[in-house]
Amino acid sequence: MAWFKRDRKPIAAPAEKSSRVPEGTWVKCPECGQAIFNKDLAANLHVCPKCAYHFRLGSIDRLRSLFDGEEWVEHDAGLRSTDPLAFIDTKPYTQRLKAGAKATGMLDAVVCATGRIDGIETSVAAMEYSFIGGSMGVVVGEKITRAIERAIPARQPVVIVSCSGGARMMEGILSLMQMAKVSAALARLSQARLPYISVLTDPTTGGVTASYAMLGDVNVAEPKALIGFAGPRVIEQTIRQKLPDGFQRSEFLVEHGMLDLVVDRRDMKAVVARALRFMGAELAPAAVPEQTGVAVAAPSR
Ligand SMILES: [Zn+2]
């Protein structure tokens, strides 16, 4: 007879729902089953028109959804990882980097750009999940740090859109150091009294949650996004208990004081702009509407 017996049923792994938009003309919404014409979905910022399910959005589409006129200037696009640990797991890290570059056309998992959000010149970093799970290695940390350091002398606010599985373990301690580096840069931004808005999207986990994603002056999340440090499955397996419904989802986290707002993607730009303005961000000089209409003549005496 065994000394110890498991008296609870093992936890069934929740069924994985695909949230990527597959290739093809029609897409089926994983939430409500509605068939959506691909172009309609793109026009609706990849949000299901029937049930408002938020499909995952790529970094470039994200910038398009935020910047005025879909215009921006990209920075540090040429930075790439040097594979400092010569890391190999099931396959060499260099191969993973190549596959990521092929899938996304980018050299790492973040795009940093400056442009205008409703007339406010802003430094934005948007993470790309399709590049090794949006993981934060040296390049992601360095690019985000530079995006913040660029904003300080230019007196611009910062918006970081997180979408990440956490720190990139193939770069070991070097990836973990990025948490401290980016956080220190954000502290300098705060000392310069410039606003920072963190936008958390599905998923934001691990070292990204544990550093810059939770450091916003305002932390805004998309609906039903998974946000946490360890994933719910890992926690369930560790504590051997079923977690409450909606645990680690945006709405649950707002109720428990971890986030400030849950905002539909279609309203995100307006909410970000309003929050930036509330925190004192100013319109870029050329974006200030010119005085037109009635010409004021000098009073004649
Ligand atoms: Zn739907």
mmCIF file of all heavy atoms in Angstrom, residues 21-54:
data_model
loop_
_atom_site.group_PDB
_atom_site.id
_atom_site.type_symbol
_atom_site.label_atom_id
_atom_site.label_comp_id
_atom_site.label_asym_id
_atom_site.label_seq_id
_atom_site.Cartn_x
_atom_site.Cartn_y
_atom_site.Cartn_z
ATOM 1 N N VAL A 21 -4.590 35.217 -35.750
ATOM 2 C CA VAL A 21 -5.444 35.261 -36.928
ATOM 3 C C VAL A 21 -4.818 34.366 -37.989
ATOM 4 O O VAL A 21 -3.714 34.635 -38.448
ATOM 5 C CB VAL A 21 -5.532 36.706 -37.469
ATOM 6 C CG1 VAL A 21 -6.448 36.752 -38.676
ATOM 7 C CG2 VAL A 21 -6.027 37.629 -36.384
ATOM 8 N N PRO A 22 -5.491 33.274 -38.350
ATOM 9 C CA PRO A 22 -4.894 32.412 -39.368
ATOM 10 C C PRO A 22 -4.991 33.020 -40.768
ATOM 11 O O PRO A 22 -5.771 33.942 -40.996
ATOM 12 C CB PRO A 22 -5.711 31.129 -39.272
ATOM 13 C CG PRO A 22 -6.993 31.531 -38.633
ATOM 14 C CD PRO A 22 -6.777 32.804 -37.890
ATOM 15 N N GLU A 23 -4.191 32.471 -41.673
ATOM 16 C CA GLU A 23 -4.241 32.928 -43.058
ATOM 17 C C GLU A 23 -5.581 32.531 -43.664
ATOM 18 O O GLU A 23 -6.209 31.576 -43.232
ATOM 19 C CB GLU A 23 -3.108 32.269 -43.860
ATOM 20 C CG GLU A 23 -1.702 32.587 -43.347
ATOM 21 C CD GLU A 23 -1.299 34.028 -43.574
ATOM 22 O OE1 GLU A 23 -1.649 34.580 -44.633
ATOM 23 O OE2 GLU A 23 -0.663 34.606 -42.682
ATOM 24 N N GLY A 24 -6.002 33.230 -44.669
ATOM 25 C CA GLY A 24 -7.248 32.875 -45.330
ATOM 26 C C GLY A 24 -8.185 34.051 -45.407
ATOM 27 O O GLY A 24 -7.924 35.112 -44.859
ATOM 28 N N THR A 25 -9.308 33.843 -46.075
ATOM 29 C CA THR A 25 -10.240 34.936 -46.290
ATOM 30 C C THR A 25 -11.165 35.119 -45.102
ATOM 31 O O THR A 25 -11.544 36.224 -44.762
ATOM 32 C CB THR A 25 -11.086 34.650 -47.543
ATOM 33 O OG1 THR A 25 -10.222 34.069 -48.513
ATOM 34 C CG2 THR A 25 -11.689 35.903 -48.098
ATOM 35 N N TRP A 26 -11.532 33.988 -44.486
ATOM 36 C CA TRP A 26 -12.456 34.049 -43.362
ATOM 37 C C TRP A 26 -11.770 33.580 -42.092
ATOM 38 O O TRP A 26 -10.935 32.700 -42.122
ATOM 39 C CB TRP A 26 -13.664 33.146 -43.629
ATOM 40 C CG TRP A 26 -14.492 33.628 -44.771
ATOM 41 C CD1 TRP A 26 -14.324 33.327 -46.088
ATOM 42 C CD2 TRP A 26 -15.594 34.537 -44.707
ATOM 43 N NE1 TRP A 26 -15.253 33.980 -46.843
ATOM 44 C CE2 TRP A 26 -16.052 34.732 -46.023
ATOM 45 C CE3 TRP A 26 -16.237 35.200 -43.657
ATOM 46 C CZ2 TRP A 26 -17.124 35.557 -46.328
ATOM 47 C CZ3 TRP A 26 -17.306 36.030 -43.956
ATOM 48 C CH2 TRP A 26 -17.747 36.199 -45.288
ATOM 49 N N VAL A 27 -12.160 34.170 -41.003
ATOM 50 C CA VAL A 27 -11.622 33.787 -39.705
ATOM 51 C C VAL A 27 -12.797 33.469 -38.804
ATOM 52 O O VAL A 27 -13.808 34.167 -38.829
ATOM 53 C CB VAL A 27 -10.837 34.965 -39.089
ATOM 54 C CG1 VAL A 27 -10.229 34.546 -37.769
ATOM 55 C CG2 VAL A 27 -9.769 35.459 -40.017
ATOM 56 N N LYS A 28 -12.659 32.395 -38.022
ATOM 57 C CA LYS A 28 -13.721 32.068 -37.080
ATOM 58 C C LYS A 28 -13.343 32.614 -35.717
ATOM 59 O O LYS A 28 -12.231 32.385 -35.245
ATOM 60 C CB LYS A 28 -13.889 30.551 -37.027
ATOM 61 C CG LYS A 28 -15.190 30.131 -36.391
ATOM 62 C CD LYS A 28 -15.335 28.623 -36.460
ATOM 63 C CE LYS A 28 -16.451 28.185 -35.536
ATOM 64 N NZ LYS A 28 -16.521 26.741 -35.406
ATOM 65 N N CYS A 29 -14.249 33.349 -35.115
ATOM 66 C CA CYS A 29 -13.981 33.895 -33.787
ATOM 67 C C CYS A 29 -13.942 32.754 -32.772
ATOM 68 O O CYS A 29 -14.891 31.990 -32.665
ATOM 69 C CB CYS A 29 -15.042 34.912 -33.396
ATOM 70 S SG CYS A 29 -14.896 35.454 -31.692
ATOM 71 N N PRO A 30 -12.847 32.611 -32.009
ATOM 72 C CA PRO A 30 -12.768 31.509 -31.038
ATOM 73 C C PRO A 30 -13.744 31.681 -29.879
ATOM 74 O O PRO A 30 -14.026 30.730 -29.163
ATOM 75 C CB PRO A 30 -11.321 31.555 -30.553
ATOM 76 C CG PRO A 30 -10.784 32.868 -30.965
ATOM 77 C CD PRO A 30 -11.630 33.421 -32.058
ATOM 78 N N GLU A 31 -14.272 32.871 -29.689
ATOM 79 C CA GLU A 31 -15.176 33.128 -28.556
ATOM 80 C C GLU A 31 -16.635 32.831 -28.923
ATOM 81 O O GLU A 31 -17.324 32.122 -28.213
ATOM 82 C CB GLU A 31 -15.020 34.597 -28.128
ATOM 83 C CG GLU A 31 -15.690 34.946 -26.822
ATOM 84 C CD GLU A 31 -14.860 34.558 -25.607
ATOM 85 O OE1 GLU A 31 -13.635 34.350 -25.754
ATOM 86 O OE2 GLU A 31 -15.449 34.451 -24.515
ATOM 87 N N CYS A 32 -17.099 33.393 -30.059
ATOM 88 C CA CYS A 32 -18.526 33.267 -30.377
ATOM 89 C C CYS A 32 -18.776 32.436 -31.634
ATOM 90 O O CYS A 32 -19.929 32.173 -31.987
ATOM 91 C CB CYS A 32 -19.160 34.649 -30.535
ATOM 92 S SG CYS A 32 -18.610 35.547 -32.005
ATOM 93 N N GLY A 33 -17.710 32.038 -32.321
ATOM 94 C CA GLY A 33 -17.870 31.171 -33.487
ATOM 95 C C GLY A 33 -18.270 31.895 -34.764
ATOM 96 O O GLY A 33 -18.425 31.272 -35.817
ATOM 97 N N GLN A 34 -18.434 33.188 -34.680
ATOM 98 C CA GLN A 34 -18.816 33.979 -35.859
ATOM 99 C C GLN A 34 -17.716 33.910 -36.929
ATOM 100 O O GLN A 34 -16.538 34.028 -36.609
ATOM 101 C CB GLN A 34 -19.020 35.433 -35.414
ATOM 102 C CG GLN A 34 -19.230 36.425 -36.527
ATOM 103 C CD GLN A 34 -20.700 36.505 -36.940
ATOM 104 O OE1 GLN A 34 -21.567 35.884 -36.328
ATOM 105 N NE2 GLN A 34 -20.970 37.233 -37.989
ATOM 106 N N ALA A 35 -18.118 33.686 -38.189
ATOM 107 C CA ALA A 35 -17.159 33.758 -39.289
ATOM 108 C C ALA A 35 -17.022 35.216 -39.705
ATOM 109 O O ALA A 35 -18.023 35.897 -39.936
ATOM 110 C CB ALA A 35 -17.637 32.915 -40.448
ATOM 111 N N ILE A 36 -15.776 35.689 -39.726
ATOM 112 C CA ILE A 36 -15.545 37.110 -40.017
ATOM 113 C C ILE A 36 -14.658 37.219 -41.244
ATOM 114 O O ILE A 36 -13.647 36.521 -41.348
ATOM 115 C CB ILE A 36 -14.863 37.836 -38.829
ATOM 116 C CG1 ILE A 36 -15.530 37.457 -37.501
ATOM 117 C CG2 ILE A 36 -14.867 39.333 -39.037
ATOM 118 C CD1 ILE A 36 -14.670 37.718 -36.288
ATOM 119 N N PHE A 37 -15.039 38.093 -42.150
ATOM 120 C CA PHE A 37 -14.238 38.369 -43.330
ATOM 121 C C PHE A 37 -12.941 39.023 -42.852
ATOM 122 O O PHE A 37 -12.968 39.965 -42.058
ATOM 123 C CB PHE A 37 -15.028 39.296 -44.259
ATOM 124 C CG PHE A 37 -14.467 39.419 -45.641
ATOM 125 C CD1 PHE A 37 -13.957 38.319 -46.318
ATOM 126 C CD2 PHE A 37 -14.461 40.650 -46.287
ATOM 127 C CE1 PHE A 37 -13.449 38.436 -47.594
ATOM 128 C CE2 PHE A 37 -13.950 40.781 -47.568
ATOM 129 C CZ PHE A 37 -13.443 39.673 -48.227
ATOM 130 N N ASN A 38 -11.809 38.479 -43.322
ATOM 131 C CA ASN A 38 -10.504 38.928 -42.841
ATOM 132 C C ASN A 38 -10.305 40.440 -42.917
ATOM 133 O O ASN A 38 -9.783 41.058 -41.996
ATOM 134 C CB ASN A 38 -9.410 38.230 -43.649
ATOM 135 C CG ASN A 38 -8.360 37.633 -42.747
ATOM 136 O OD1 ASN A 38 -8.203 38.076 -41.608
ATOM 137 N ND2 ASN A 38 -7.654 36.624 -43.232
ATOM 138 N N LYS A 39 -10.748 41.009 -44.024
ATOM 139 C CA LYS A 39 -10.569 42.465 -44.203
ATOM 140 C C LYS A 39 -11.401 43.245 -43.195
ATOM 141 O O LYS A 39 -10.961 44.282 -42.694
ATOM 142 C CB LYS A 39 -10.973 42.870 -45.622
ATOM 143 C CG LYS A 39 -9.846 42.691 -46.626
ATOM 144 C CD LYS A 39 -10.241 43.264 -47.972
ATOM 145 C CE LYS A 39 -9.202 42.917 -49.016
ATOM 146 N NZ LYS A 39 -9.748 42.993 -50.385
ATOM 147 N N ASP A 40 -12.620 42.723 -42.911
ATOM 148 C CA ASP A 40 -13.469 43.393 -41.917
ATOM 149 C C ASP A 40 -12.812 43.351 -40.543
ATOM 150 O O ASP A 40 -12.868 44.314 -39.786
ATOM 151 C CB ASP A 40 -14.847 42.709 -41.826
ATOM 152 C CG ASP A 40 -15.642 42.892 -43.107
ATOM 153 O OD1 ASP A 40 -15.269 43.765 -43.914
ATOM 154 O OD2 ASP A 40 -16.618 42.133 -43.308
ATOM 155 N N LEU A 41 -12.167 42.208 -40.259
ATOM 156 C CA LEU A 41 -11.506 42.048 -38.968
ATOM 157 C C LEU A 41 -10.350 43.050 -38.842
ATOM 158 O O LEU A 41 -10.197 43.707 -37.818
ATOM 159 C CB LEU A 41 -10.985 40.612 -38.827
ATOM 160 C CG LEU A 41 -10.473 40.212 -37.452
ATOM 161 C CD1 LEU A 41 -11.575 40.293 -36.406
ATOM 162 C CD2 LEU A 41 -9.879 38.811 -37.474
ATOM 163 N N ALA A 42 -9.563 43.176 -39.923
ATOM 164 C CA ALA A 42 -8.445 44.129 -39.909
ATOM 165 C C ALA A 42 -8.967 45.552 -39.749
ATOM 166 O O ALA A 42 -8.410 46.355 -38.995
ATOM 167 C CB ALA A 42 -7.621 43.981 -41.173
ATOM 168 N N ALA A 43 -10.071 45.854 -40.446
ATOM 169 C CA ALA A 43 -10.633 47.210 -40.367
ATOM 170 C C ALA A 43 -11.157 47.498 -38.965
ATOM 171 O O ALA A 43 -11.241 48.646 -38.539
ATOM 172 C CB ALA A 43 -11.754 47.363 -41.387
ATOM 173 N N ASN A 44 -11.494 46.449 -38.229
ATOM 174 C CA ASN A 44 -12.021 46.595 -36.871
ATOM 175 C C ASN A 44 -10.912 46.390 -35.832
ATOM 176 O O ASN A 44 -11.194 46.012 -34.690
ATOM 177 C CB ASN A 44 -13.157 45.587 -36.660
ATOM 178 C CG ASN A 44 -14.143 46.039 -35.605
ATOM 179 O OD1 ASN A 44 -14.384 47.228 -35.438
ATOM 180 N ND2 ASN A 44 -14.698 45.082 -34.867
ATOM 181 N N LEU A 45 -9.653 46.622 -36.224
ATOM 182 C CA LEU A 45 -8.480 46.484 -35.336
ATOM 183 C C LEU A 45 -8.381 45.082 -34.729
ATOM 184 O O LEU A 45 -7.952 44.907 -33.595
ATOM 185 C CB LEU A 45 -8.496 47.539 -34.217
ATOM 186 C CG LEU A 45 -8.423 49.001 -34.657
ATOM 187 C CD1 LEU A 45 -8.511 49.922 -33.448
ATOM 188 C CD2 LEU A 45 -7.118 49.279 -35.407
ATOM 189 N N HIS A 46 -8.789 44.071 -35.509
ATOM 190 C CA HIS A 46 -8.722 42.670 -35.071
ATOM 191 C C HIS A 46 -9.532 42.420 -33.797
ATOM 192 O O HIS A 46 -9.087 41.719 -32.890
ATOM 193 C CB HIS A 46 -7.265 42.211 -34.920
ATOM 194 C CG HIS A 46 -6.536 42.163 -36.234
ATOM 195 N ND1 HIS A 46 -6.525 41.053 -37.046
ATOM 196 C CD2 HIS A 46 -5.852 43.114 -36.906
ATOM 197 C CE1 HIS A 46 -5.840 41.320 -38.141
ATOM 198 N NE2 HIS A 46 -5.423 42.566 -38.088
ATOM 199 N N VAL A 47 -10.693 43.065 -33.744
ATOM 200 C CA VAL A 47 -11.649 42.823 -32.661
ATOM 201 C C VAL A 47 -12.900 42.240 -33.306
ATOM 202 O O VAL A 47 -13.374 42.774 -34.314
ATOM 203 C CB VAL A 47 -12.005 44.131 -31.921
ATOM 204 C CG1 VAL A 47 -13.067 43.880 -30.857
ATOM 205 C CG2 VAL A 47 -10.764 44.755 -31.299
ATOM 206 N N CYS A 48 -13.433 41.141 -32.749
ATOM 207 C CA CYS A 48 -14.635 40.526 -33.315
ATOM 208 C C CYS A 48 -15.792 41.530 -33.265
ATOM 209 O O CYS A 48 -16.109 42.051 -32.198
ATOM 210 C CB CYS A 48 -14.999 39.264 -32.537
ATOM 211 S SG CYS A 48 -16.590 38.569 -33.016
ATOM 212 N N PRO A 49 -16.436 41.813 -34.418
ATOM 213 C CA PRO A 49 -17.514 42.803 -34.428
ATOM 214 C C PRO A 49 -18.745 42.322 -33.645
ATOM 215 O O PRO A 49 -19.552 43.132 -33.209
ATOM 216 C CB PRO A 49 -17.864 42.967 -35.906
ATOM 217 C CG PRO A 49 -16.948 42.090 -36.675
ATOM 218 C CD PRO A 49 -16.166 41.234 -35.723
ATOM 219 N N LYS A 50 -18.877 40.995 -33.462
ATOM 220 C CA LYS A 50 -20.072 40.470 -32.786
ATOM 221 C C LYS A 50 -19.906 40.449 -31.263
ATOM 222 O O LYS A 50 -20.770 40.923 -30.545
ATOM 223 C CB LYS A 50 -20.371 39.065 -33.313
ATOM 224 C CG LYS A 50 -21.748 38.555 -32.930
ATOM 225 C CD LYS A 50 -21.992 37.190 -33.527
ATOM 226 C CE LYS A 50 -23.215 36.538 -32.885
ATOM 227 N NZ LYS A 50 -23.206 35.085 -33.143
ATOM 228 N N CYS A 51 -18.759 39.889 -30.782
ATOM 229 C CA CYS A 51 -18.636 39.700 -29.328
ATOM 230 C C CYS A 51 -17.467 40.483 -28.732
ATOM 231 O O CYS A 51 -17.199 40.375 -27.536
ATOM 232 C CB CYS A 51 -18.473 38.223 -29.004
ATOM 233 S SG CYS A 51 -16.856 37.562 -29.423
ATOM 234 N N ALA A 52 -16.753 41.271 -29.557
ATOM 235 C CA ALA A 52 -15.627 42.092 -29.079
ATOM 236 C C ALA A 52 -14.454 41.252 -28.571
ATOM 237 O O ALA A 52 -13.648 41.723 -27.771
ATOM 238 C CB ALA A 52 -16.060 43.104 -28.022
ATOM 239 N N TYR A 53 -14.343 40.008 -29.037
ATOM 240 C CA TYR A 53 -13.146 39.216 -28.717
ATOM 241 C C TYR A 53 -11.926 39.902 -29.346
ATOM 242 O O TYR A 53 -11.952 40.274 -30.514
ATOM 243 C CB TYR A 53 -13.299 37.791 -29.264
ATOM 244 C CG TYR A 53 -12.046 36.945 -29.104
ATOM 245 C CD1 TYR A 53 -11.743 36.351 -27.891
ATOM 246 C CD2 TYR A 53 -11.170 36.761 -30.174
ATOM 247 C CE1 TYR A 53 -10.596 35.588 -27.743
ATOM 248 C CE2 TYR A 53 -10.019 36.005 -30.029
ATOM 249 C CZ TYR A 53 -9.740 35.423 -28.807
ATOM 250 O OH TYR A 53 -8.594 34.675 -28.672
ATOM 251 N N HIS A 54 -10.873 40.070 -28.554
ATOM 252 C CA HIS A 54 -9.668 40.734 -29.058
ATOM 253 C C HIS A 54 -8.668 39.703 -29.569
ATOM 254 O O HIS A 54 -8.074 38.977 -28.766
ATOM 255 C CB HIS A 54 -9.027 41.570 -27.948
ATOM 256 C CG HIS A 54 -9.717 42.879 -27.702
ATOM 257 N ND1 HIS A 54 -11.072 42.981 -27.514
ATOM 258 C CD2 HIS A 54 -9.231 44.154 -27.635
ATOM 259 C CE1 HIS A 54 -11.393 44.251 -27.329
ATOM 260 N NE2 HIS A 54 -10.288 44.983 -27.387
#
